[in-house]
Amino acid sequence: MTVGSGTVSFQTVRETNLGVVLRTVRELAPCSRSAVASATGLNKTTVSSLVADLMARGLVLETGETSRQRVGRPGVLLALDDSSVAAVGLEVNVDYLSVVAVDLLRNELVGRHVPFDARSAGPEACARRIARTLRETMESPQLSGRAVVAAGVAVPGLIDAPAGTVTRAPNLGWQGVRLRDRVEDLLRTAGAGEVPVHVDNDANLAAMAEYRVGSFAGTPDLAYVTGEVGIGAGILAGGELLRGAGGFAGEVGHLALAPDGPECACGRRGCLESLAGIGAIVREAVPDRVPDRPLSGSDVAELVSVAVERAGSGDGVAVGALERAGMWLGRGLSTLVNVTNPSVVLLGGYFVPMGPWLLPGCRAEVVANVFAPGAGGCRIELSALGLSAAARGAAASMIHALDVGLLPLPAPGAARTAAVPGGS
Amino acid sequence: MTVGSGTVSFQTVRETNLGVVLRTVRELAPCSRSAVASATGLNKTTVSSLVADLMARGLVLETGETSRQRVGRPGVLLALDDSSVAAVGLEVNVDYLSVVAVDLLRNELVGRHVPFDARSAGPEACARRIARTLRETMESPQLSGRAVVAAGVAVPGLIDAPAGTVTRAPNLGWQGVRLRDRVEDLLRTAGAGEVPVHVDNDANLAAMAEYRVGSFAGTPDLAYVTGEVGIGAGILAGGELLRGAGGFAGEVGHLALAPDGPECACGRRGCLESLAGIGAIVREAVPDRVPDRPLSGSDVAELVSVAVERAGSGDGVAVGALERAGMWLGRGLSTLVNVTNPSVVLLGGYFVPMGPWLLPGCRAEVVANVFAPGAGGCRIELSALGLSAAARGAAASMIHALDVGLLPLPAPGAARTAAVPGGS
């Protein structure tokens, strides 16, 4: 009874149903096999067989409790097994790599920040560093005894996700980099086995992180705005990423706001980035500290803390610069809100520490410039996911891919031996 | 094997599968029962039973031809029965109602334009006129012998589609109008039976029309921009309407483009509508013909033809006004394109006759202001669906709702008797 336009093999139906049961247990746990049967419409024998399979693969376990039912035998309760698998997410930024690993319940097992100048390193050295960092993470004690189902890699740029290629990442200086294949090769060569790697845009993955594990988790219409030198948006519409025809959706950094505004790196004037990007903000906020050369990633991190410190102590120049940026940010976001009407826009990255000065003007401009009354119900808030939102999203997306059958399930028994407590 | 979180009754599964077979026949016709079985994964006995049911309901027929197969008996070929059902779509505009009826293949059976001043009439008189127009259409000879599965009504404004309520339609002066319930009541009272009515936004339905039957049919990422006194956008992302959290998505009419621009009806300055809405255009293009009072719907229609006529004969004032409007339209659309990255933006309504003067400047501004190279591959084109795009979309959406099981299928035998050729 599978809907589709191609011939469906028995195995595909079974795999689809394994995913259905996995999702149902996630949603209802703790729950009995009967509850799974009645929620899915599958018969009890089929459910029992599928549950046995998921248990062998280390994805579902019996909690040891039983359900109280009005009729029939009490059922043994099932839950997700959070001890057997892991997914890794890694975020490439201009001045650091951020990496996290999560379990099947998306709880964070490992979180690391690795300073790394990706722009100077170039794509090949960066791919090697990514592979090394993934390998180190997979070998860390917190992951011992777990099967790593996949690694997600977030990159600030235009990504051809199905091909695993970075089409264009201006802030890294990359173009046409086949990152997925290279990292998978490097992992294989290093003896880490066949770990599927998935590459995607950082703003998209950060938006997915907010949807899966952030303060507004479960909100189907939300946007995440990266606060880095560049400004990008990840937009979720009805719980799905809005990618656009060519993957260019969410390009808000170069919305033209002020025809006579400052020159932008793109060659035009008055783009949102040139008015409210982090580079633009620190140049205005702490002009005496800005070096006479293009800003490096570590320059930016330091200048942000100086700007925040000065604003905190009431420095008029810093406060004024942040407030003006907040206003421009609000004008830019009002466009995003007019076009896509999210429930919430989350400001991420370096916008978070600057939030206290950015938010009032930003919110006022959104209310003033969005046509729908009360900004169409849209709130502007700060992300609580810190500088690793995209890495979190990359890892959480791999767990989601497992749930919906886009990733192969771990083979039965894959991680069982080592998963015995103390067995590592 | 149905995926879901609720208990699934046998009837629901059967109805779901009727929809599956209906969609498969639509896709593959002419096709045999075996082809349907292998495309859907349903077994042949089940397919035969479902096909018999769809034939009894007048939705599928045997073409009289047979397939040539390498093995086994030749199969009788199936196709959609385009003679038994119809769906009606009606569009409310400031100065006219437009109504169409289509068959199961979405071919147009009836198309009518009814001059009607909906703004002066108010919601109750308008609901009565809508019901009367729907009834007249359902009783027209072209629909004789057909079961009308549903009527879709397109309204320029913010619509709560699930509730069938017009939340706010500024150009009609409506607020909180429960249009669906009223029209269903009126149809029932008039003896037209229980015809489900669905109300939605005009730009959304016009975008659906483009997706289903327009020149860019099948393009999953497209936008339709209404060219009326107001400017709204219907946006399709991945083949789904982008509605936003509160149904406000696509509000492009009040994007702020020129802080010192002309006053807008919304009270602000320099909104897209105040620079490139049809009212704004005709005021600039044929200033000597603009009456000294608010423009009525019929004023607009007439002023548009004068403007187009003058531009066609080279009148500098008219040409200049249209070219400037095209430029502003391009600036506004570049925002839509930066945020959602469609493959094509279709200009509709009165923008179509003005197209020759609007398009060059519009396209140039889109290329100049969209960050992605080559406007992210986005084309700006004129809609070929004329002034009834939204009505076409409303009718086509009802057929689609039938396909995907959102509308009840006509009862077996509902329209059979009268459908005998000459039987009306």
Side-chain angles (χ1 to χ4, degrees):
Chain A
M1 309 227 185
T2 303
V3 177
S5 56
T7 306
V8 176
S9 75
F10 175 72
Q11 197 181 11
T12 306
V13 172
R14 184 164 179 93
E15 281 173 1
T16 303
N17 286 336
L18 283 170
V20 170
V21 172
L22 186 63
R23 289 200 298 281
T24 307
V25 173
R26 180 185 294 283
E27 203 180 305
L28 304 180
C31 60
S32 66
R33 287 170 176 80
S34 309
V36 173
S38 69
T40 57
L42 295 165
N43 72 49
K44 288 187 193 177
T45 315
T46 306
V47 168
S48 291
S49 154
L50 293 166
V51 165
D53 197 336
L54 291 171
M55 288 175 69
R57 293 170 195 263
L59 299 171
V60 164
L61 49 70
E62 295 181 338
T63 64
E65 318 245 307
T66 53
S67 67
R68 290 167 159 282
Q69 295 182 136
R70 280 161 305 177
V71 198
R73 291 188 302 169
V76 178
L77 291 181
L78 305 170
L80 291 191
D81 184 346
D82 60 1
S83 70
S84 297
V85 302
V88 182
L90 184 147
E91 173 177 354
V92 180
N93 247 299
V94 173
D95 58 328
Y96 63 86
L97 305 181
S98 184
V99 64
V100 302
V102 302
D103 65 18
L104 195 56
L105 292 170
R106 303 189 205 106
N107 294 317
E108 192 167 316
L109 299 168
V110 182
R112 283 169 68 202
H113 234 68
V114 183
F116 180 68
D117 188 342
R119 179 152 47 181
S120 316
E124 173 57 21
C126 191
R128 289 181 177 276
R129 188 56 183 259
I130 291 169
R132 197 178 104 197
T133 307
L134 291 174
R135 223 177 57 237
E136 287 166 1
T137 306
M138 295 190 297
E139 287 165 0
S140 64
Q142 296 92 327
L143 265 67
S144 105
R146 289 172 185 274
V148 172
V149 293
V153 176
V155 177
L158 174 68
I159 313 296
D160 180 345
T165 301
V166 180
T167 308
R168 222 162 61 102
N171 291 329
L172 296 176
W174 295 7
Q175 197 147 8
V177 176
R178 302 182 53 160
L179 189 62
R180 180 194 60 199
D181 292 353
R182 189 67 190 120
V183 173
E184 284 184 349
D185 270 353
L186 288 164
L187 288 174
R188 200 179 296 120
T189 310
E194 297 292 331
V195 179
V197 172
H198 180 80
V199 180
D200 210 334
N201 170 269
D202 62 340
N204 283 349
L205 288 170
M208 287 309 296
E210 294 292 351
Y211 182 58
R212 300 270 168 224
V213 298
S215 324
F216 290 83
T219 303
D221 299 282
L222 67 77
Y224 177 99
V225 176
T226 60
E228 312 287 339
V229 173
I231 300 179
I235 304 168
L236 277 171
E240 297 288 334
L241 274 174
L242 178 68
R243 293 185 181 273
F248 292 101
E251 273 296 355
V252 298
H254 300 275
L255 291 172
L257 296 184
D260 307 323
E263 214 171 288
C264 184
C266 74
R268 282 170 291 192
R269 289 190 163 275
C271 297
L272 176 57
E273 268 181 30
S274 76
L275 295 157
I278 296 298
I281 293 180
V282 295
R283 277 195 184 84
E284 294 275 310
V286 290
D288 55 307
R289 295 289 291 270
V290 175
D292 196 19
R293 53 176 163 75
L295 297 182
S296 73
S298 52
D299 290 338
V300 171
E302 200 198 311
L303 293 171
V304 167
S305 33
V306 177
V308 169
E309 198 186 296
R310 287 194 188 167
S313 64
D315 177 272
V317 174
V319 168
L322 266 56
E323 288 179 349
R324 275 194 306 282
M327 189 203 78
W328 286 115
L329 191 57
R331 295 215 186 151
L333 295 186
S334 66
T335 291
L336 172 71
V337 175
N338 271 318
V339 174
T340 65
N341 180 220
S343 310
V344 60
V345 177
L346 291 146
L347 305 182
Y350 294 121
F351 286 147
V352 177
M354 295 177 169
W357 300 275
L358 296 175
L359 276 180
C362 179
R363 287 173 172 155
E365 287 293 325
V366 168
V367 168
N369 288 290
V370 170
F371 181 61
C378 182
R379 298 167 61 178
I380 311 291
E381 302 290 346
L382 301 177
S383 169
L385 295 176
L387 292 177
S388 61
R392 289 294 297 273
S397 293
M398 293 304 95
I399 294 296
H400 179 66
L402 193 71
D403 271 19
V404 297
L406 292 177
L407 269 179
L409 296 171
R416 289 279 72 183
T417 322
V420 174
S424 64
Chain B
M1 311 231 182
T2 303
V3 177
S5 55
T7 307
V8 175
S9 75
F10 176 72
Q11 197 179 12
T12 305
V13 172
R14 185 166 176 91
E15 281 174 1
T16 303
N17 286 336
L18 284 170
V20 170
V21 172
L22 186 61
R23 288 201 298 281
T24 307
V25 173
R26 180 185 294 283
E27 204 179 305
L28 304 181
C31 59
S32 67
R33 287 169 177 80
S34 308
V36 173
S38 67
T40 58
L42 295 165
N43 72 49
K44 289 187 191 177
T45 315
T46 307
V47 169
S48 291
S49 156
L50 293 165
V51 166
D53 196 336
L54 291 171
M55 289 176 69
R57 293 169 196 264
L59 299 170
V60 165
L61 48 70
E62 294 180 338
T63 61
E65 318 246 308
T66 52
S67 68
R68 291 168 159 278
Q69 295 181 136
R70 279 162 305 176
V71 197
R73 292 187 302 170
V76 177
L77 291 180
L78 305 170
L80 291 191
D81 183 346
D82 60 1
S83 71
S84 298
V85 301
V88 182
L90 183 146
E91 173 176 356
V92 180
N93 248 299
V94 174
D95 57 328
Y96 63 87
L97 304 180
S98 183
V99 64
V100 302
V102 302
D103 66 18
L104 194 55
L105 293 170
R106 306 188 201 105
N107 293 319
E108 192 166 316
L109 299 166
V110 183
R112 283 171 66 204
H113 233 68
V114 184
F116 180 68
D117 188 342
R119 180 153 48 183
S120 316
E124 173 58 21
C126 190
R128 289 182 178 279
R129 187 57 185 260
I130 290 170
R132 197 178 104 199
T133 307
L134 290 175
R135 222 177 57 239
E136 287 167 1
T137 306
M138 295 189 297
E139 287 165 1
S140 63
Q142 297 92 326
L143 265 67
S144 105
R146 289 173 185 272
V148 172
V149 293
V153 177
V155 178
L158 175 68
I159 313 296
D160 180 346
T165 302
V166 180
T167 308
R168 223 162 61 99
N171 291 330
L172 297 175
W174 294 8
Q175 197 147 7
V177 176
R178 302 181 52 160
L179 189 63
R180 180 195 60 199
D181 293 354
R182 189 67 190 120
V183 173
E184 284 184 349
D185 272 354
L186 288 164
L187 288 174
R188 200 179 294 120
T189 311
E194 297 292 332
V195 179
V197 172
H198 180 80
V199 180
D200 210 333
N201 168 268
D202 62 340
N204 283 349
L205 289 170
M208 287 309 297
E210 294 291 350
Y211 182 57
R212 301 266 169 228
V213 297
S215 324
F216 291 83
T219 303
D221 298 282
L222 67 77
Y224 178 98
V225 176
T226 59
E228 311 289 338
V229 173
I231 300 180
I235 304 168
L236 277 172
E240 298 288 334
L241 274 173
L242 178 68
R243 292 186 182 274
F248 292 102
E251 272 296 355
V252 297
H254 301 275
L255 290 173
L257 296 184
D260 308 323
E263 215 170 289
C264 183
C266 74
R268 283 170 290 190
R269 287 190 163 276
C271 298
L272 177 58
E273 265 180 34
S274 75
L275 295 157
I278 296 299
I281 293 179
V282 294
R283 277 195 183 85
E284 295 275 311
V286 290
D288 55 306
R289 295 288 292 270
V290 175
D292 195 19
R293 53 175 162 76
L295 298 182
S296 73
S298 52
D299 289 338
V300 171
E302 198 197 315
L303 293 171
V304 167
S305 33
V306 178
V308 169
E309 197 186 298
R310 289 196 188 166
S313 63
D315 177 273
V317 173
V319 168
L322 266 55
E323 289 179 347
R324 273 194 306 282
M327 189 203 76
W328 286 116
L329 191 58
R331 295 213 186 155
L333 295 186
S334 67
T335 290
L336 172 71
V337 175
N338 271 318
V339 175
T340 64
N341 180 220
S343 310
V344 62
V345 176
L346 291 146
L347 305 182
Y350 293 122
F351 286 146
V352 178
M354 296 177 168
W357 300 275
L358 296 176
L359 276 181
C362 180
R363 288 172 173 158
E365 288 292 325
V366 168
V367 168
N369 288 290
V370 170
F371 181 60
C378 181
R379 298 167 60 174
I380 311 292
E381 302 289 346
L382 301 177
S383 169
L385 296 175
L387 293 176
S388 61
R392 287 293 299 272
S397 293
M398 295 302 97
I399 293 295
H400 179 66
L402 193 71
D403 270 18
V404 297
L406 293 176
L407 270 178
L409 296 172
R416 289 281 73 182
T417 321
V420 174
S424 64

